[in-house]
Amino acid sequence: AAAAALRRLAPDVAAILIDPFPAFFFSPASIDAVFDPAAMDAFSRDYKLLANQGVRVARGEARGVDPVARRVSTEKETFDYDALILATGMRLAADEIEGLNDAGNLSVYERGHLAALRQRIAEFPGGNVLISMPGGALRCPPAPYEFALRFAAMMKERRLTGQVTLLDAWPSPQPDAIGAGLSAALAEERDVIEHVPQVNLARIDAKARKAHTAEGDVFEYDLLSAIPPNKASSLVADLGIAGPGDMFAEVDPRVFRTRKHADIFALGDVARTPYGRSAGAAVGAAENCAREVARMLTGSAPAPESAIATACFPITGPEGALRLETVTTVDAQGAVSIKSDPGNKPSAASLARRRAWETALLKRIFG
């Protein structure tokens, strides 16, 4: 989104996108992708669509940044920059849970896991499904509840026996604004779903297929889909751009410039901002950041917007979704104002709005 916006605003600026994947995938559709074989293609976009806008797409993973030389290194190339936008997202720290890396865990939060998870779900004969979500920072907090609900619906549709257990580090479903709606949806599926709040996954015994919590509980599973702790990219620590006592990049929330380096910006889940961690927030932030980068490099571009609107429509069943729409305003002095409009009752209208929102957001980036 930042690269596409920068090309529109400053066509004479060379925009380079470094990405380890060969194509873009729309993360909010991850749950669709593990239940519907067609969704992966439907929500993917070829990077040729960005190249057609003048963006150079370089396949690779940023391994290091030299802020003095103003250079980014991948495993194959180095790139000089006048402005750097760091948008590395979350690092899923599976190594922080004993045994998780050896348990064949497949998380809906890991893009690289989606195809294998879809295959495992398609072949699932029934049994105990264990889903867990960590405390602390979390990309897309409603997703684990939505995943559990969709899994339960699939089991009923295929007339499979078993149970979906959701281990939740939080005392109630997140985010709070639509927690009541998520709680009600989980309660309606209590014959299949067991929601266990305020427990923290601590250890996996892969051989015995048992999950141990820090609180001393033990849960058996046939299919494991744990979300590891969500951490910031190691590049944040390497560059020293985190705020005091924080792991995420400290930025000016209006333009996303890091506090330490005037030519380095941080966007999305890697930054500490008031907008929440969602696709809608990421796109709004990216466009504001692009405006500031264009102003810095060309001397002229529209001023960043003072407000960013975000939306979230968790699907609770085949015919309904909840709704959370938020407008976050940051004034010139840095004061933050947040206005939320939640819809805690599932509706077909919210589901239709989700589909329209997905289409509009993809079109906004790729045309």
Side-chain angles (χ1 to χ4, degrees), residues 53 66 76 126 140 150 155 164 169 178 187 190 197 200 208 216 228 236 303 314 317 321 340 343:
Q53 299 177 52
D66 184 337
K76 296 179 181 179
C140 190
R150 296 280 290 275
M155 290 177 67
V164 177
I178 53 172
R190 64 171 62 91
N200 295 272
V236 174
S340 294

Side-chain angles (χ1 to χ4, degrees), residues 281-304:
V283 172
E287 292 173 346
N288 263 359
C289 180
R291 290 183 175 204
E292 184 67 11
V293 171
R295 284 159 65 93
M296 184 181 87
L297 297 180
T298 70
S300 64

Side-chain angles (χ1 to χ4, degrees), residues 91-288:
R91 176 177 63 86
L92 300 182
D95 54 302
E96 293 192 6
I97 297 177
E98 182 185 343
L100 187 58
N101 279 326
D102 300 321
N105 180 61
L106 295 173
S107 169
V108 74
Y109 274 43
E110 285 271 21
R111 176 174 168 179
H113 289 182
L114 297 183
L117 182 56
R118 181 173 63 246
Q119 184 69 25
R120 192 171 294 181
I121 290 172
E123 297 172 353
F124 185 63
N128 296 324
V129 180
L130 186 67
I131 301 168
S132 78
M133 61 182 293
L138 190 65
R139 188 185 84 195
C140 190
Y145 311 101
E146 186 179 359
F147 183 40
L149 289 164
R150 296 280 290 275
F151 212 118
M154 180 276 296
M155 290 177 67
K156 287 185 174 182
E157 182 181 348
R158 289 168 50 187
R159 298 182 180 179
L160 302 177
T161 59
Q163 178 175 281
V164 177
T165 302
L166 175 58
L167 306 183
D168 188 351
W170 297 85
S172 59
Q174 299 297 304
D176 287 333
I178 53 172
L182 291 168
S183 289
L186 292 169
E188 285 188 7
E189 301 294 338
R190 64 171 62 91
D191 57 327
V192 179
I193 297 176
E194 181 185 9
H195 177 222
V196 186
Q198 292 186 289
V199 294
N200 295 272
L201 186 62
R203 181 170 65 88
I204 298 294
D205 183 339
K207 187 175 181 180
R209 292 192 173 187
K210 292 183 179 181
H212 298 255
T213 71
E215 292 73 24
D217 302 305
V218 181
F219 296 87
E220 296 183 354
Y221 65 85
D222 298 294
L223 188 152
L224 176 65
S225 186
I227 302 168
N230 285 209
K231 303 293 185 178
S233 165
S234 59
L235 290 176
V236 174
D238 293 345
L239 289 166
I241 57 176
D246 198 1
M247 74 176 81
F248 298 101
E250 183 182 22
V251 298
D252 176 336
R254 295 192 73 191
V255 298
F256 306 94
R257 177 181 278 111
T258 60
R259 302 291 188 187
K260 184 173 181 179
H261 299 287
D263 52 7
I264 297 180
F265 300 75
L267 278 179
D269 297 341
V270 78
R272 177 70 68 184
T273 75
Y275 306 107
R277 292 182 164 87
S278 70
V283 172
E287 292 173 346
N288 263 359

Side-chain angles (χ1 to χ4, degrees), residues 5-29:
L6 186 59
R7 289 298 301 163
R8 292 193 298 269
L9 293 164
D12 292 333
V13 170
I16 303 171
L17 174 70
I18 301 171
D19 194 307
F21 291 100
F24 175 87
F25 178 70
F26 188 60
S27 291

